[in-house]
Amino acid sequence: MIVELELKDLVVPQGLLPRIITGTVEEKVQEYAEMIEEGVEFDPISVWKRDNQYWVIDGVHRLEAHKRAGK
């Protein structure tokens, strides 16, 4: 199911997922942000609803890129 959420409702669970442990790749975030500004659309991120929050389980780079692009 695809739903639209506000960025403020998303939680990146620090230290609990492999990508969070290894960190984001700055170059990839910047590349994605530029693509978003040019109008490229990405696949939705995956989240897990837990205690009225939405934990990001896949899509941290895309999430950060959208934040930087102001989308």
Side-chain angles (χ1 to χ4, degrees), residues 13-70:
Q14 298 297 323
L16 298 178
L17 302 172
R19 177 69 73 198
I20 303 305
I21 294 169
T22 61
T24 55
V25 176
E26 177 59 31
E27 294 82 13
K28 188 57 66 181
V29 173
Q30 185 61 38
E31 176 187 346
Y32 286 0
E34 290 170 5
M35 292 171 70
I36 290 165
E37 290 170 353
E38 294 171 358
V40 174
E41 291 190 25
F42 288 87
D43 290 336
I45 64 171
S46 297
V47 298
W48 174 38
K49 186 174 182 181
R50 183 166 193 256
D51 300 327
N52 294 322
Q53 295 180 321
Y54 294 90
W55 287 21
V56 178
I57 57 174
D58 180 51
V60 174
H61 286 93
R62 287 171 280 162
L63 174 63
E64 283 302 313
H66 277 84
K67 287 180 182 179
R68 290 190 192 177

